Amino acid sequence: QVQLVESGGGLVQAGGSLRLSCAASGRTFSSYGMGWFRQAPGKEREFVAAINWNGGNTLYADSVKGRFTISRDNGKNTVYLQMNSLKPEDTAVYYCAADRQGYYTRWTSTYDAWGRGTQVTVSS
C-alpha cells in the first residue's frame, strides 16, 4: 500500500513562493503517475498539476500554468510542487495523489492513493 506524506505548506504573502514536497513509500514509486490537487473551504477538490513516471510529461490547470512547476525525484521517492507568484486565491489544502498504474490525469478518480494534505495560506 502506498503512503504519501505532504510537507512544505505555510503562510506566505501574495507574490511569494513555496515548495511542496510529497514523500511516497513503496519500491515502485518510479512507475507511478503523480498529481497535486487542492481544496479550499466550501469548494470541491480541484486539479493543480500532474506528472508521468519519469517526469517527461506534465499537465497543469490553467489557473496555475506559468506559476507552478511539478517535478519528481525517483531516487528520493518524492514529487515536488514549486509555487511562485502566489495569489490569495491559491489558499487551500494541497493534496498529493498517486496512481500505481502510471496514469496522470486531472481527474481525482484516476488516483488510488492520497496524502492527508498540507495547508497553504496566501495573505494579501
Side-chain angles (χ1 to χ4, degrees), residues 3 26 47 53 64 85 89 122:
Q3 291 189 329
F47 170 73
W53 68 277
V64 307
S85 302
E89 51 263 45
V122 184

Side-chain angles (χ1 to χ4, degrees), residues 58-73:
T58 57
L59 295 172
Y60 293 95
D62 288 344
S63 59
V64 307
K65 201 172 294 183
R67 300 188 298 123
F68 291 10
T69 303
I70 187 171
S71 62
R72 66 189 297 161
D73 184 337

Side-chain angles (χ1 to χ4, degrees), residues 2-49:
V2 178
Q3 291 189 329
L4 305 173
V5 179
E6 302 95 337
S7 62
L11 173 64
V12 64
Q13 289 188 334
S17 299
L18 283 174
R19 188 176 81 155
L20 305 184
S21 299
C22 172
S25 65
R27 292 175 292 177
T28 56
F29 172 79
S30 61
S31 66
Y32 300 164
M34 300 295 297
W36 284 99
F37 290 77
R38 65 187 182 187
Q39 189 166 18
K43 295 188 176 181
E44 293 187 352
R45 192 168 297 189
E46 66 173 4
F47 170 73
V48 175

Side-chain angles (χ1 to χ4, degrees), residues 30-109:
S30 61
S31 66
Y32 300 164
M34 300 295 297
W36 284 99
F37 290 77
R38 65 187 182 187
Q39 189 166 18
K43 295 188 176 181
E44 293 187 352
R45 192 168 297 189
E46 66 173 4
F47 170 73
V48 175
I51 191 167
N52 77 325
W53 68 277
N54 68 353
N57 291 290
T58 57
L59 295 172
Y60 293 95
D62 288 344
S63 59
V64 307
K65 201 172 294 183
R67 300 188 298 123
F68 291 10
T69 303
I70 187 171
S71 62
R72 66 189 297 161
D73 184 337
N74 287 341
K76 295 182 178 179
N77 278 21
T78 301
V79 64
Y80 304 98
L81 185 68
Q82 178 67 44
M83 306 186 295
N84 299 329
S85 302
L86 282 161
K87 304 175 181 180
E89 51 263 45
D90 294 318
T91 295
V93 177
Y94 282 70
Y95 297 91
C96 173
D99 176 62
R100 286 171 285 182
Q101 295 186 60
Y103 293 106
Y104 64 107
T105 77
R106 58 186 70 238
W107 314 116
T108 58
S109 58

